[in-house]
Amino acid sequence: MAPGSISSSRVPTLSQLFSSISFGPLSLPNRIVIAPMCQYSCTDGLANDWHRIHLGQLSQSGAGLLILEATAVLPEGRISWADLGLWDDATEAALASVVASVRQWSPMPLGVQLGHAGRKASVNKPWEGGGAMDPSDPRAWPTVAPSALPFAKTDPTPTELDLAGIDAIVDAFAAAARRAERVGMDLIELHAAHGYLLHQFLSPLSNRREDEYGGSLENRMRLLVRVFDAVREAVSDRIAVGVRISASDWVAGGWDIEQSTTLAHVLDARGCQFLHVSSGGNDPRQQIPLSPGYQVPFAQAIKAHKLRMPVIAVGLITEPSQAESILRHGHADAIALARGILYDPRWPWHAAAALGDSVAPAPQYLRCEPREARGVFIAPER
């Protein structure tokens, strides 16, 4: 065999994990999604060389889709002062430069998660203690929310959004979506999970409004539905648009799987092209029983309603056999990895080897195929 050539002695199996899937117009070569993970590494919302390194590495992982971290649609919508943004020409140009670098070397589809942190904005970086910044800190800013209720009792009280403020946020999501398409994204995920603004409107624990955005489930869903419609209208049909939700607040009387299922039907009817199902983050009283795949039952319950859109499961999915089982049993249509793929950026390679399947790495990496996994690599298409 010539140096650098690849053995074809192994016939790949037909795993579910490495079968193709489509999110609306976007076709993926496999069902491994890299979930958004905040990097807290920006100044004034600008993407930089850290993002080239970080995203460049993940774009060589063999996953089917890479979704960029939570990206603020307004400066005051950042989670921390060091968050990525997409709200003006400068942030658009910086992200476009990073995306161009990644695309030069990787064909992996790219998405971005657009969000607004609401009352959970203006916090310190996790490795600097996390939590709300002192209002006297020059990097801090006032927060907004559906109701004047802080996330934690010690947090500054947010300002309740008026109707004009709500309209401005809808417009900001649409504007950021247009920028995302110009940057070259294939997919947009709306962040309605983890206790951030759109989730805050959904949950009766954080939304005590008495107008058309509060009270009934229909009213509490109104902002997310408006944002989805505005984003869908703002971008072309080539862009897949979906939503990430927290299926449960894990607190009695809060947002739950029944309300999540109703929301899923509403979004599905409006043309949502995927639903990414997480949980928690909206109330510090949450009690989450962590265990492998602990959030998968939420995805399974929603998928059981036979929606048109694919459902993505996430949360402590760490083993290839576990991911394959989730798909084979029909509990979800795709699986998402977050911390696990930071720890093992070649997880998809290793999963393909474990499942007897194959991946197409960059040609620069073909010669590293292990002897014990001959056939796991296939040459990428020219």
Side-chain angles (χ1 to χ4, degrees), residues 190-199 244-246 276 278-281:
L190 302 178
H191 199 355
H194 302 164
Y196 299 122
L197 185 67
L198 298 179
H199 183 182
R244 189 172 196 181
I245 64 168
S246 280
H276 194 168
S278 188
S279 70

Side-chain angles (χ1 to χ4, degrees), residues 134-337:
D134 190 294
S136 65
D137 191 309
R139 300 169 301 179
W141 62 90
T143 61
V144 297
S147 302
L149 300 169
F151 173 70
K153 293 179 180 179
T154 56
D155 290 351
T157 299
T159 298
E160 181 174 311
L161 281 162
D162 59 17
L163 296 182
I166 290 173
D167 289 345
I169 285 171
V170 174
D171 291 343
F173 270 95
R178 286 189 286 270
R179 293 184 185 279
E181 181 166 16
R182 289 199 296 266
V183 161
M185 292 297 165
D186 303 297
L187 172 147
I188 293 171
E189 177 175 278
L190 302 178
H191 199 355
H194 302 164
Y196 299 122
L197 185 67
L198 298 179
H199 183 182
Q200 291 162 28
F201 269 86
L202 292 173
S203 174
L205 298 178
S206 45
N207 183 348
R208 305 288 176 81
R209 300 176 72 97
E210 297 180 352
D211 62 3
E212 63 265 42
Y213 289 94
S216 69
L217 175 57
E218 180 183 6
N219 285 355
R220 286 182 279 116
M221 293 190 300
R222 190 179 306 277
L223 178 57
L224 174 54
V225 170
R226 280 193 65 193
V227 167
F228 176 82
D229 287 349
V231 167
R232 183 66 276 175
E233 184 178 355
V235 298
S236 71
D237 291 343
R238 80 164 189 86
I239 306 296
V241 179
V243 177
R244 189 172 196 181
I245 64 168
S246 280
S248 173
D249 284 338
W250 295 100
V251 177
W255 185 254
D256 57 25
I257 186 59
E258 288 76 19
Q259 295 171 90
S260 294
T261 300
T262 299
L263 173 62
H265 281 291
V266 169
L267 292 172
D268 198 44
R270 303 185 88 85
C272 188
Q273 290 164 323
F274 66 92
L275 192 69
H276 194 168
V277 182
S278 188
S279 70
N282 192 49
D283 193 297
R285 295 172 296 174
Q286 65 188 19
Q287 296 294 317
I288 303 178
L290 293 176
S291 61
Y294 70 101
Q295 294 176 149
V296 173
F298 293 130
Q300 179 183 357
I302 292 172
K303 181 173 164 53
H305 285 261
K306 302 188 183 305
L307 305 170
R308 291 177 298 175
M309 60 182 170
V311 176
I312 305 171
V314 67
L316 286 181
I317 301 171
T318 58
E319 300 300 323
S321 59
Q322 176 194 13
E324 180 70 8
S325 178
I326 290 167
L327 299 176
R328 284 199 176 275
H329 286 90
H331 296 164
D333 299 293
I335 63 100
L337 305 174

Side-chain angles (χ1 to χ4, degrees), residues 43-118:
T43 301
D44 299 326
L46 302 171
N48 54 46
D49 283 348
W50 171 258
H51 299 90
R52 284 184 174 82
I53 296 168
H54 169 66
L55 298 172
Q57 172 182 240
L58 293 178
S59 74
Q60 300 296 339
S61 67
L65 171 67
L66 168 56
I67 307 178
L68 276 62
E69 65 196 87
T71 301
V73 300
L74 290 167
E76 60 270 27
R78 291 173 292 172
I79 302 167
S80 80
W81 61 267
D83 276 24
L84 186 63
L86 193 54
W87 60 71
D88 62 10
D89 290 348
T91 52
E92 179 181 338
L95 187 56
S97 177
V98 168
V99 169
S101 294
V102 174
R103 288 212 184 277
Q104 183 178 1
W105 299 106
S106 172
M108 183 179 291
L110 299 177
V112 63
Q113 185 186 68
L114 297 181
H116 189 301

